[in-house]
Amino acid sequence: MSDQPIPLHRRPRPMTDEQRLVAVDAVIGYLNLPTFRPPIARDDAVHVLLRDGDELARWVYALGGDVAHTDPLGGAVLYTLNTRTPRRTDGSVVELRVHVALIAGEFAPLTFRGAESA
């Protein structure tokens, strides 16, 4: 017998791209979240593309996170939700970047646009 404490929590092992995609697909299916095309795994996160601002609102409501946007470029603005999957039983999470391009001035909830001057 050893006097060493038994570790209750272990660090999660790094996940492969395939494992991260499976985890994201599970969250998408479980929460019934919209996507425009299959998620794409990159080093920084798994990226998801959407069709409109209403779909982005559903993701924000389901997972929370921070929404950032670009300045208008060619008449369009790219909104990106920086979030993550819910914590799994092994303690791991998958970073998510959820993107939607909107025409500048098109409907986007105020929480996405930020404060606007009068």
Side-chain angles (χ1 to χ4, degrees):
M1 293 281 296
S2 169
D3 291 337
Q4 298 293 328
I6 298 172
L8 299 178
H9 301 287
R10 294 184 184 182
R11 281 197 174 148
R13 293 181 184 168
M15 292 194 291
T16 66
D17 284 351
E18 185 177 333
Q19 290 170 322
R20 294 186 313 148
L21 288 170
V22 167
V24 170
D25 282 335
V27 169
I28 289 169
Y30 182 73
L31 297 175
N32 194 28
L33 293 170
T35 61
F36 179 64
R37 57 180 286 192
I40 301 165
R42 292 290 184 255
D43 290 340
D44 63 333
V46 173
H47 295 258
V48 177
L49 297 176
L50 305 177
R51 291 185 181 145
D52 60 41
D54 291 330
E55 290 183 351
L56 184 60
R58 289 178 57 191
W59 277 82
V60 171
Y61 180 77
L63 296 175
D66 297 316
V67 177
H69 63 83
T70 63
D71 290 330
L73 177 64
V77 177
L78 178 67
Y79 289 86
T80 300
L81 169 64
N82 297 301
T83 190
R84 59 178 52 149
T85 61
R87 191 166 305 281
R88 296 163 24 132
T89 56
D90 67 357
S92 65
V93 295
V94 177
E95 294 295 322
L96 285 165
R97 304 294 176 263
V98 183
H99 309 284
V100 64
L102 300 176
I103 304 301
E106 182 182 8
F107 167 76
L110 286 175
T111 55
F112 301 163
R113 287 183 273 158
E116 294 185 3
S117 58

